[in-house]
Amino acid sequence: TSHRLTETFDADYFPFFFWTCLWAGGMHVASSAVGLVDLVWKVTPFTSQIFELFIGISFIYLSCRDLIEPIYLNEWDVDPAERAGRYATLLLGMATCGISWTLHFAETWVLFTRQIRTVLGSYNTLIAVVLATALSYLPGVDMGTLERVDIVAPWDWRPTADRPWITNPTQGISAKGIFGAIIPGFMFFLLFIIDHNVSSILSQVPKYNLQKPPAYHWDFLVLGITFLPCALLGLPPGNGLIPQAPLHVRALCTRKLETDRYGVKREVVTHVEEQRWSGLGQSLLMFVALGAFEVISWIPRGALFGLLLYLGIGALHGNEIWERTVFCLMVAKKRPPVPVVTDVKWSTVQLFTAIQLGCAFGVFAVANFTTVGYIYPALLVVLVPIRSYVLSRFFSEADLKRLDPHGEEEEEKDNYHDEQRIIHNWSNDSVDSEEMEIPNRAEFRGQGWNQLHHRHTSNMTDDREGNPDARVGEEVTVSKV
């Protein structure tokens, strides 16, 4: 997008990118100073679910495009060795995705000990990449045309592009380009104000029992300041993403499990290690990667596309829009008896789901198939007033409480995400009861407002025949970063 805009404004890329970051950073600082971040509390699951679905289908589309398009299916005069390399890339990508997805559910297996299953589930992507890289070196797989990660190894401590370390913001750009950079800068701002602040909210929700107070405006201010070094060095700005930030907090938690009235074990956070060392260590490990370029250059590109495909599929897994779509395809009597099915007229559920699907695919189409794809953050922001002022006129308040509950108390009161607890019910006779004691990462869902992970410990019917208010609490200490 930035490259296309540089042609429009007749500017060199790096000076244009400098001003893009500078404008975006200034908007971050100004919005945090006036309290504009408070508006993010207007975002409901209607918008966050569409955002998640958009990310999922974008990842799936981009990975499939990069795996299939280079095969030249519509051309016949291609060197067979080159086409064989493309097919090898496709197969390695599918293998990487398949291994990652299989190990994603390792903690639900009856094989191996709980510790081994935890390692397999936690490091599934690393294991998949290592195996795919090893497969790529088997005789007959690489005919000399298999593409691998293209990096300079070892790194000579110079920018990969033919440019100096520090960008000159006045060279190769006119006043037209400087002010034209406001457009992508504003898109950066709109995207980050949703993405960063929603991830901040999810990382500081009351369920974590944090002792240190939240600092949403200060966080956004610091994020805005980081745009300046990115502008000077020509680096893409970073921000807190969903679901990485909430998962980081989750890794620092000590939790106990309680059985609710549905017979479902639920996590209750008792303590969080509130420190900054883990975040600093994560950042420092990025510098360690600079010394491992030789190893990274062994990885086939297909493995990276396979990981992207896995992330896209994982984003769909547990997304409420996707699961309601699955409900629509199910025979009526086979749908689980959850509130969104039993308490809302089914035609209303179908209409609400169709609207969300239309919005998600509309944003996807604009972002990927139009010349103005850079405006997609603005489309995501527009969804907020659509939900507040348009949908509220066509759906009753009672239906919206079931379909789009806003706020943790309302979600809890209306048994939000009961459908996930039933769809992802791993409680059956073939599952080792030992692994049920710890919520597994196999149930990870990149969802917006409710990150509680639920586990069934017995059949729902049998649970209701027993004491519905029985509570079983046991301390579970998870690995702390």
Side-chain angles (χ1 to χ4, degrees):
T1 300
S2 297
H3 281 286
R4 292 200 299 266
L5 288 176
T6 56
E7 298 175 358
T8 302
F9 293 102
D10 192 23
D12 293 343
Y13 174 75
F14 285 104
F16 186 81
F17 185 76
F18 172 92
W19 288 104
T20 297
C21 290
L22 198 64
W23 288 118
M27 294 176 193
H28 280 65
V29 173
S31 63
S32 61
V34 300
L36 192 62
V37 176
D38 283 336
L39 293 178
V40 78
W41 292 99
K42 299 292 184 180
V43 178
T44 69
F46 172 82
T47 302
S48 62
Q49 291 165 12
I50 292 173
F51 185 29
E52 293 154 8
L53 184 61
F54 162 68
I55 294 296
I57 59 180
S58 294
F59 280 12
I60 293 173
Y61 164 73
L62 293 174
S63 58
C64 291
R65 182 197 65 184
D66 292 335
L67 285 171
I68 297 174
E69 190 176 51
I71 298 178
Y72 308 114
L73 293 176
N74 60 340
E75 299 180 17
W76 297 96
D77 56 345
V78 179
D79 183 8
E82 184 177 356
R83 175 165 283 167
R86 300 294 192 269
Y87 272 113
T89 296
L90 172 61
L91 293 177
L92 290 172
M94 299 306 294
T96 303
C97 178
I99 295 171
S100 298
W101 189 248
T102 301
L103 295 180
H104 185 92
F105 301 98
E107 292 186 37
T108 66
W109 297 352
V110 296
L111 302 176
F112 311 119
T113 64
R114 186 176 63 197
Q115 291 75 14
I116 293 177
R117 296 197 302 265
T118 300
V119 171
L120 292 175
S122 299
Y123 297 95
N124 59 336
T125 54
L126 174 61
I127 295 172
V129 171
V130 171
L131 290 178
T133 302
L135 288 173
S136 70
Y137 282 97
L138 290 177
V141 177
D142 187 359
M143 306 297 292
T145 56
L146 181 65
E147 294 185 1
R148 301 185 185 274
V149 177
D150 185 17
I151 57 176
V152 178
W155 185 39
D156 57 3
W157 293 92
R158 295 181 181 179
T160 52
D162 185 17
R163 67 177 182 90
W165 273 103
I166 304 300
T167 300
N168 186 340
T170 60
Q171 184 178 355
I173 190 171
S174 62
K176 176 183 177 182
I178 292 175
F179 288 100
I182 294 177
I183 299 174
F186 184 60
M187 295 301 110
F188 257 134
F189 167 72
L190 292 180
L191 178 63
F192 279 28
I193 199 171
I194 292 181
D195 190 23
H196 175 83
N197 287 294
V198 169
S199 65
S200 295
I201 290 172
L202 294 176
S203 301
Q204 302 177 82
V205 291
K207 71 177 182 180
Y208 287 124
N209 298 316
L210 298 179
Q211 300 302 309
K212 298 179 181 178
Y216 301 110
H217 300 288
W218 283 109
D219 286 347
F220 207 56
L221 173 66
V222 172
L223 178 61
I225 294 174
T226 63
F227 272 79
L228 180 58
C230 291
L232 290 172
L233 298 174
L235 300 175
N239 65 309
L241 296 175
I242 300 172
Q244 288 91 326
L247 285 177
H248 185 194
V249 178
R250 175 181 167 80
L252 299 171
C253 292
T254 299
R255 306 182 295 274
K256 71 176 181 179
L257 304 180
E258 295 183 350
T259 303
D260 65 13
R261 63 184 182 274
Y262 294 101
V264 178
K265 276 192 175 181
R266 305 186 58 180
E267 295 178 358
V268 177
V269 176
T270 60
H271 176 68
V272 178
E273 296 292 339
E274 300 182 50
Q275 41 72 54
R276 296 184 175 91
W277 292 106
S278 56
L280 177 61
Q282 179 186 12
S283 300
L284 292 177
L285 285 175
M286 301 297 294
F287 290 97
V288 175
L290 297 177
F293 273 13
E294 185 68 32
V295 176
I296 295 175
S297 66
W298 301 343
I299 302 175
R301 293 186 63 190
L304 301 184
F305 298 143
L307 286 182
L308 189 64
L309 179 59
Y310 161 72
L311 293 174
I313 296 174
L316 297 182
H317 181 63
N319 179 270
E320 290 83 355
I321 304 174
W322 178 257
E323 292 187 348
R324 275 190 265 110
T325 302
V326 173
F327 287 171
C328 292
L329 300 177
M330 295 171 64
V331 178
K333 64 181 180 180
K334 297 293 185 180
R335 295 179 190 131
V338 294
V340 73
V341 174
T342 60
D343 299 345
V344 183
K345 187 178 179 181
W346 190 243
S347 60
T348 301
V349 176
Q350 292 176 312
L351 177 59
F352 190 83
T353 304
I355 292 173
Q356 286 187 296
L357 285 172
C359 292
F361 280 96
V363 175
F364 168 76
V366 171
N368 290 277
F369 304 111
T370 68
T371 58
V372 292
Y374 54 86
I375 70 168
Y376 81 88
L379 300 180
L380 293 172
V381 173
V382 169
L383 294 175
V384 178
I386 289 178
R387 160 60 180 89
S388 300
Y389 302 107
V390 178
L391 292 186
S392 59
R393 296 178 178 271
F394 296 94
F395 295 90
S396 68
E397 184 178 352
D399 288 342
L400 288 176
K401 283 184 178 181
R402 298 296 190 188
L403 295 168
D404 189 37
H406 188 198
E408 188 172 358
E409 292 182 0
E410 190 170 284
E411 292 174 4
E412 182 68 20
K413 178 180 64 177
D414 293 326
N415 302 317
Y416 191 51
H417 298 314
D418 274 1
E419 58 267 38
Q420 279 79 11
R421 296 205 290 269
I422 291 180
I423 283 184
H424 303 296
N425 176 14
W426 304 111
S427 176
N428 54 59
D429 295 337
S430 64
V431 178
D432 182 6
S433 60
E434 178 191 26
E435 62 88 15
M436 306 303 287
E437 295 178 1
I438 296 181
N440 64 58
R441 209 180 146 189
E443 293 184 273
F444 155 68
R445 303 182 289 279
Q447 60 195 23
W449 288 92
N450 193 334
Q451 294 290 326
L452 294 176
H453 297 252
H454 306 294
R455 299 300 306 265
H456 281 274
T457 58
S458 61
N459 184 272
M460 291 291 290
T461 304
D462 293 340
D463 284 341
R464 287 169 182 169
E465 291 176 356
N467 180 6
D469 296 321
R471 300 170 64 87
V472 180
E474 52 186 332
E475 291 291 334
V476 178
T477 302
V478 298
S479 58
K480 298 176 180 178
V481 178

